[in-house]
Amino acid sequence: ATLFWSDSRIQYVEGYALDRFSMGELMLRPVRTQQVGLLLDAGIEEELRHRHLQVAEACRTSLGLNIGPVVITEEPLEIKLAKGSSGSSWGGLDKVDTLLKAGEKLKKAGATAIAIVTRFPDDVGSEVLDSYRHGVGVDNLGGAEAVISHLLVRHLGLPCAHAPALTALPLEAELDPRAAGEELGHTFLTCVLVGLSRAPDLLPVNFEQSFENSSLSNCIHADHLGAVVAPNGALGGEAILACLERNVPLIVVSNPNVLRVTSQSLRSKGDGLLKDNLFVLHASNYVEAAGLILLLREGINIDSLYRPLSKIVIID
């Protein structure tokens, strides 16, 4: 959405980097600030491009963020949207080399993080968009956005995040409150710039190095993970499976979605991916999930807060 509240306890990490972090392949090094380069798709119309540049200037002036330089791709990236067999959003771009070349140019010019803005197809009036705005559909843009950010993070090793450039939508009086943050202005760029301005550095893990090394002592690595929270149905991603392999407690929240990879499905075939000795907790909502995190953090017996209370088992 347009809104993002920065907090020193939050680490702003893109999905590909989060997967690698969960697998123990990357460390996160908190920073005071990043130099955020701005990568603009040549396919963005002049007026819409100026709107995005004004957002960057506003964030420099009002928030004191370090933004620049700006690179415009040599040709339009030609974004395509699609839908997966599950009903989730998907997509990609035709000009991958053009995207990567622009990212390399920004990195060479001193950018330590990159905000990408690409021209997405307008789907005003589509049933998919209408459903999403009313809170009963998927985000039709998210899949293609993930492909774009994954490509750049993997290629450059820098924190990257994406904002789609779109024509402003007509007013929708019955807009679902969850979608309201996406319709506040002309762009989605503000939250990306704020998030990237303090996004952690991504450091490849050398398994022979010592985390006690003074230069690495403040880094966050996979061994620091106390728990992972995910909606039931969306448990098939690399980060979740990596955490399960590392015996990190998994808190599964009841949150209906179009995916069907539940904790039950992970157990259902053959040996299954979920073993009985793994620490899997179920929460009916995110408030309950927050309570479970607090219990884990404080080392409190979780069963002691459920009723009826079970008795201690006596074994022979």
Side-chain angles (χ1 to χ4, degrees), residues 75-90:
E75 57 184 335
L77 296 176
E78 299 181 15
I79 308 301
K80 301 291 191 299
L81 302 181
K83 181 179 287 189
S85 59
S86 65
S88 59
S89 63
W90 193 240

Side-chain angles (χ1 to χ4, degrees), residues 40-43 72-78 95-99:
L40 299 179
D41 181 0
I72 300 174
T73 61
E74 294 178 350
E75 57 184 335
L77 296 176
E78 299 181 15
K95 307 296 183 180
V96 173
D97 290 343
T98 302
L99 172 71

Side-chain angles (χ1 to χ4, degrees), residues 301-310:
N301 178 4
I302 292 173
D303 289 337
S304 69
L305 295 185
Y306 284 103
R307 297 296 182 271
L309 187 63
S310 59

Side-chain angles (χ1 to χ4, degrees), residues 97-278:
D97 290 343
T98 302
L99 172 71
L100 300 182
K101 184 177 180 180
E104 290 170 355
K105 189 173 183 179
L106 283 170
K107 184 176 182 178
K108 186 177 181 179
T112 58
I114 295 178
I116 314 112
V117 185
T118 62
R119 186 59 165 103
F120 267 49
D122 291 318
D123 56 353
V124 178
S126 74
E127 292 184 9
V128 174
L129 176 61
D130 187 62
S131 296
Y132 179 69
R133 297 179 82 191
H134 287 87
V136 292
V138 300
D139 177 2
N140 199 35
L141 312 181
E145 288 195 275
V147 170
I148 294 166
S149 62
H150 286 21
L151 282 169
L152 273 180
V153 172
R154 185 177 66 179
H155 185 69
L156 302 174
L158 299 180
C160 301
H162 180 268
L166 294 163
T167 302
L169 294 171
L171 177 67
E172 172 54 67
E174 302 300 323
L175 187 71
D176 186 277
R178 291 170 293 178
E182 300 186 0
E183 306 201 15
L184 298 179
H186 297 281
T187 83
F188 304 93
L189 182 57
T190 311
C191 63
V192 170
L193 295 176
V194 172
L196 287 175
S197 68
R198 294 184 181 176
D201 288 335
L202 309 175
L203 304 183
V205 170
N206 177 354
F207 292 99
E208 296 179 356
Q209 69 198 100
S210 171
F211 292 129
E212 278 67 45
N213 183 306
S214 59
S215 64
L216 302 175
S217 59
N218 68 330
C219 289
I220 303 167
H221 52 87
D223 290 342
H224 288 135
L225 283 172
V228 57
V229 180
N232 204 15
L235 303 183
E238 287 186 280
I240 300 297
L241 298 179
C243 288
L244 288 172
E245 289 181 359
R246 301 171 70 90
N247 291 317
V248 176
L250 170 63
I251 299 174
V252 179
V253 183
S254 177
N255 184 182
N257 54 77
V258 298
L259 300 175
R260 295 292 182 267
V261 188
T262 65
S263 56
Q264 291 74 23
S265 66
L266 290 179
R267 294 183 190 273
S268 63
K269 295 182 179 180
D271 292 334
L273 292 172
L274 288 186
K275 308 298 183 181
D276 290 337
N277 62 338
L278 292 180

